[in-house]
Amino acid sequence: DQQVKQNSPSLSVQEGRISILNCDYTNSMFDYFLWYKKYPAEGPTFLISISSIKDKNEDGRFTVFLNKSAKHLSLHIVPSQPGDSAVYFCAASLSGTYKYIFGTGTRLKVLA
Amino acid sequence: GAGVSQSPSNKVTEKGKDVELRCDPISGHTALYWYRQSLGQGLEFLIYFQGNSAPDKSGLPSDRFSAERTGGSVSTLTIQRTQQEDSAVYLCASSLVGVIPHQPQHFGDGTRLSIL
C-alpha cells in the first residue's frame, strides 16, 4: 500500500522555465511533508518542508504547495537550472512518529 | 566530518554470508534511522533509534536483519545469511529530536550492497 505516490517517474524542462513536481498521499493524518533531492551515488539532501497548518512555503527558487483537501503537494522550481537535475523525493510524516514515508521519486532533467 | 558517514560505500558478498553496515551520525543527533532503497523504488524505512534504544523496528523485513546503536552514536545494521533480494542501497540518517519539532533527517551517502 503506497501511502505517498509520485506518479511521474521523470520530467524534462528547459533551463529558465518552471519545474513542477507532484506528490499525492492517502493518509489524511500526515501533518508534515518534505522534499529531498538526490544526486547519483549520494544520499538525499533536504530541500524544503511544509507543515499541514500551511498551504505554501517558499525558499528562494523553491516553493512547496500543499492542498490538504486533495491530499496533494507540489514542488515548484523557478527558474530551473541544469544543476537542479536530480531525483526528487517527497516524504510525509505523522506527529509523534519520526519515520518518513517516501514516494518513489521523480527524475528531473533540466535541459540547457 | 560534519555529515552522516556510512561504511563501506560498496559491499559485494556471496549469498548466505553475513554483512555489517556502519553508520556514524552527525555529532549531537540523538535520532538515527536506517532506510533501504531497492532498484526503482522509494526509500523504505527499516528502523529508528532514539539514543541507544529502538522504539520502532517495524520496517525490518525479517529476523535476519538486526541493528544496534552504542554510546548514542555509531550504529551497525547486520544482515545474516544474505539473500539476493537484500541487494539494495542502505541509507542511514540522523536528526535532532525533542529540541524543535520536525527537524529534517540528514542522510549519508549509503552503502550499496550486492549479493551474488
Side-chain angles (χ1 to χ4, degrees), chain B residues 40-115:
Chain B
Q41 301 297 312
L43 279 70
E44 173 191 5
F45 169 82
L46 298 178
I47 188 170
Y48 153 63
F49 285 92
Q50 175 57 32
N52 291 335
S53 65
D56 190 345
K57 305 179 185 180
S58 62
L60 294 178
S62 77
D63 59 7
R64 296 186 296 104
F65 287 72
S66 62
E68 65 173 15
R69 189 179 185 195
T70 54
S73 181
V74 172
S75 175
T76 53
L77 176 69
T78 301
I79 310 173
Q80 294 179 307
R81 305 181 302 282
T82 51
Q83 303 294 313
Q84 287 185 330
E85 62 262 28
D86 300 334
S87 296
V89 176
Y90 289 81
L91 289 155
C92 175
S94 69
S95 70
L96 285 168
V97 171
V99 177
I100 300 172
H102 289 305
Q103 286 293 293
Q105 297 174 19
H106 299 268
F107 284 82
D109 288 340
T111 294
R112 181 175 297 277
L113 177 63
S114 300
I115 310 300

Side-chain angles (χ1 to χ4, degrees), chain A residues 72-94:
Chain A
H72 177 83
L73 67 155
S74 61
L75 174 68
H76 292 208
I77 306 172
V78 56
S80 301
Q81 299 173 354
D84 297 330
S85 297
V87 177
Y88 290 78
F89 291 96
C90 69
S93 75
L94 284 163

Side-chain angles (χ1 to χ4, degrees), chain A residues 92-103:
Chain A
S93 75
L94 284 163
S95 267
T97 73
Y98 297 103
K99 69 184 179 188
Y100 294 166
I101 309 298
F102 281 87

Side-chain angles (χ1 to χ4, degrees), chain A residues 32-91:
Chain A
Y32 191 67
F33 304 89
L34 310 94
W35 285 94
Y36 278 81
K37 178 168 77 172
K38 186 181 184 301
Y39 293 119
E42 294 183 11
T45 303
F46 169 71
L47 202 52
I48 193 169
S49 62
I50 188 166
S51 164
S52 60
I53 62 172
K54 296 186 174 182
D55 54 20
K56 177 182 173 181
N57 188 26
E58 192 171 350
D59 184 1
R61 297 186 296 113
F62 302 92
T63 303
V64 56
F65 295 92
L66 177 62
N67 182 334
K68 288 187 289 294
S69 60
K71 296 193 189 72
H72 177 83
L73 67 155
S74 61
L75 174 68
H76 292 208
I77 306 172
V78 56
S80 301
Q81 299 173 354
D84 297 330
S85 297
V87 177
Y88 290 78
F89 291 96
C90 69

